[in-house]
Each structure stands twice: as structure tokens, then as C-alpha cells.
Amino acid sequence: MIYFNVLIEETGESYRCSPQESLLAGMERLGRKGIPVGCRGGGCGVCKVEITSGSYFKRVMSRDYVSVEDEAAGRVLACRVRPTSDITLKVLGKMAKAVCRTQPAASAAA
């Protein structure tokens, strides 16, 4: 089976995603607690990402969350996009809070 590499810019994490599954399905396999998953059907906007490089096949998404301008700029819903090459993306929307959370600095007092 063919897999493409998907890189999340903010964290440097990557995962494999087949052309038969959505970017969200692959992202869920990262096993991160707190990654919000909404309707999985393009209607809630929870999984909004910006594709910064790579090619993909996209399905219909709610215009409430992805405008024509967003779509033209590569801002799409991860549940409605399947990779056709390696992908680099930035996490937007409600997912950014969970995926891109920075680790608290270690306490200097010991």
C-alpha cells in the first residue's frame, strides 16, 4: 500500500497517511490526548489546517468554516482531505490548542 508522509510544522511530528484516508484519520493515530474530532464530515470546522506544501484531493466542506478564499490558500478541513503526495501543514482552528500546546518550562527551583 502507498503511504505519504504528513508533517505538522508547529510540532515537527510526522505520520503516514494513505490516499484512501483523510488527513484527520492519520492525525488521530498520533495518539495525542485532546485532539478534538468533530463530525468527521466537513460540517463543524474543528479540524481546520493549512496545507503549506504538497498535493491533495479534497471533498466538499462547509462554507461556514472554509471560504472560497481559504480553500484557494490551502486552508481546508483535515477530515475532507486525502493526500496525493507528501504534505506539510499548519494546524488551525480549535485543534491548534491541543496539537500545538507547548510544554511548560521546567522549574528552575530544585
Side-chain angles (χ1 to χ4, degrees):
M1 177 175 270
I2 296 172
Y3 287 94
F4 296 109
N5 189 53
V6 179
L7 173 67
I8 301 172
E9 284 187 22
E10 294 89 348
T11 64
E13 290 181 283
S14 63
Y15 61 92
R16 293 181 350 149
C17 192
S18 83
Q20 285 77 39
E21 68 181 342
S22 71
L23 294 176
L24 181 62
M27 209 177 289
E28 286 182 278
R29 280 198 318 277
L30 283 176
R32 290 265 202 144
K33 283 187 173 185
I35 293 179
V37 176
C39 68
R40 291 187 179 93
C44 72
V46 169
C47 62
K48 193 170 186 180
V49 298
E50 180 177 342
I51 310 281
T52 57
S53 71
S55 60
Y56 52 91
F57 170 78
K58 62 186 176 222
R59 298 175 68 198
V60 175
M61 293 169 258
S62 170
R63 287 291 177 222
D64 289 340
Y65 302 103
V66 180
S67 68
V68 172
E69 294 80 17
D70 281 341
E71 202 170 324
R75 292 183 294 271
V76 294
L77 301 179
C79 68
R80 304 303 284 169
V81 172
R82 297 178 181 180
T84 57
S85 75
D86 288 346
I87 297 276
T88 301
L89 61 82
K90 291 180 181 179
V91 178
L92 306 173
K94 296 175 185 175
M95 272 179 41
K97 186 175 181 180
V99 173
C100 303
R101 182 180 311 145
T102 57
Q103 296 299 323
S107 175

